[in-house]
Amino acid sequence: LFFLVGFIDDKYSIKPNFKLLIYILLIIILMFLDKDLTIRHVNFSFSNFIFKLNNFGVFFTILCFLLFINSFNMLDGINGQAATYSIYILILFIFYNINLSLSVSFILALLIFLYFNFKDKMFLGDSGTILLGFIISYFFVKSYNLGTKIFSDEIFLIMMIPGLELVRLAVQRLLLKKHPFSPDNKHIHHLIIDRTSFLNSYVLIQILLVFPFILYLLIDNSIISLIISFLIYSFLMNFLLKKIN
């Protein structure tokens, strides 16, 4: 169903508010069918305290799905970007022993896709990014709820850069009196390509995407990783926006 929403959006361009409503309805139906999908608590690697969400859990779960699906969809702007990021996350799934066989299958499929994508013969489109964004979100939420040893702050670091981009673009569009999810060419990959080449943009963004979690693995401190990654992202965006202006 998520794939079909993306497919119809590719063909006819669904209005953002209506698309958002469909996402919410599909996620609510899924949570009704799968009781293990609602996030009931939040725990962090740096604290033994568990934050219980109680009745707020349903809203929080819907929010998590919506944020990542939309941020992942925004990430897809140049060849290879979203697919390579997906492979990176799927490798982490293998590392955390999350759906091994399915993760390997997706990696193989995405590697084949990348070959044709870089040759401009195959593209994800909204149907591909929405589907992948939903599947990755589902894997994370489901495995987290079933007790996989992955903490909330680790998940946040893995998804940090697309999340920051979502917030930045949403605020920027609202200030310009546009819909926060309306398309434009102000994404970080557009800003980098305006100043350099496709290859430089692709490599730089992939480094930026993996940096927060790699840093966390190296120093074993999610708070410091978060602060350093945020500062690097902010510095890069400030530099790019000044250059464009």
Side-chain angles (χ1 to χ4, degrees):
L1 290 174
F2 274 95
F3 169 79
L4 287 175
V5 172
F7 180 79
I8 295 170
D9 190 35
D10 279 330
K11 192 171 180 63
Y12 300 107
S13 189
I14 304 173
K15 290 183 178 180
N17 286 338
F18 184 62
K19 189 163 53 175
L20 203 62
L21 179 61
I22 296 173
Y23 292 163
I24 293 171
L25 289 174
L26 290 177
I27 295 165
I28 290 173
I29 292 170
L30 189 60
M31 285 194 296
F32 177 78
L33 296 173
D34 187 349
K35 303 301 180 184
D36 292 326
L37 201 61
T38 304
I39 302 171
R40 302 295 182 187
H41 66 274
V42 177
N43 61 334
F44 300 97
S45 63
F46 53 84
S47 172
N48 292 325
F49 184 77
I50 297 176
F51 297 87
K52 293 185 178 180
L53 298 175
N54 299 319
N55 295 330
F56 185 67
V58 173
F59 172 79
F60 184 73
T61 305
I62 294 172
L63 182 65
C64 288
F65 270 99
L66 292 179
L67 287 175
F68 185 70
I69 291 171
N70 282 289
S71 63
F72 187 84
N73 190 34
M74 287 181 176
L75 185 69
D76 183 42
I78 60 174
N79 287 355
Q81 186 165 275
T84 306
Y85 178 57
S86 300
I87 291 172
Y88 154 64
I89 294 179
L90 291 164
I91 290 172
L92 292 179
F93 282 163
I94 295 172
F95 176 76
Y96 280 104
N97 198 24
I98 298 173
N99 296 83
L100 288 179
S101 58
L102 201 55
S103 296
V104 171
S105 299
F106 267 96
I107 288 172
L108 293 174
L110 285 167
L111 287 172
I112 295 171
F113 165 80
L114 277 174
Y115 173 78
F116 291 102
N117 185 223
F118 284 126
K119 288 180 173 290
D120 289 330
K121 294 183 178 180
M122 189 180 292
F123 307 94
L124 282 175
D126 284 341
S127 56
T129 55
I130 290 170
L131 176 63
L132 278 173
F134 165 72
I135 290 172
I136 290 171
S137 301
Y138 180 86
F139 277 4
F140 265 129
V141 173
K142 181 80 171 181
S143 58
Y144 175 82
N145 287 339
L146 291 178
T148 300
K149 291 186 177 181
I150 184 169
F151 295 97
S152 304
D153 48 308
E154 294 174 338
I155 297 174
F156 180 80
L157 287 169
I158 294 167
M159 300 177 166
M160 179 180 174
I161 299 303
L164 289 176
E165 270 293 276
L166 175 70
V167 173
R168 180 185 70 83
L169 289 167
V171 171
Q172 183 174 297
R173 289 165 183 169
L174 287 171
L175 290 174
L176 295 172
K177 297 181 179 180
K178 296 181 180 179
H179 194 281
F181 298 134
S182 59
D184 60 26
N185 61 349
K186 302 298 183 182
H187 299 239
I188 187 171
H189 45 264
H190 292 133
L191 299 180
I192 297 174
I193 285 177
D194 284 344
R195 306 304 304 174
T196 181
S197 65
F198 161 78
L199 182 60
N200 288 341
S201 176
Y202 171 78
V203 172
L204 180 58
I205 291 173
Q206 293 309 317
I207 292 173
L208 194 62
L209 288 169
V210 304
F211 180 78
F213 189 72
I214 298 300
L215 184 64
Y216 166 70
L217 292 178
L218 292 174
I219 65 176
D220 195 26
N221 190 308
S222 62
I223 299 175
I224 294 177
S225 303
L226 171 64
I227 293 171
I228 294 175
S229 300
F230 179 76
L231 289 174
I232 290 174
Y233 170 81
S234 300
F235 173 80
L236 179 61
M237 287 309 309
N238 184 58
F239 173 79
L240 289 170
L241 291 172
K242 279 186 176 180
K243 285 290 184 181
I244 295 298
N245 290 335

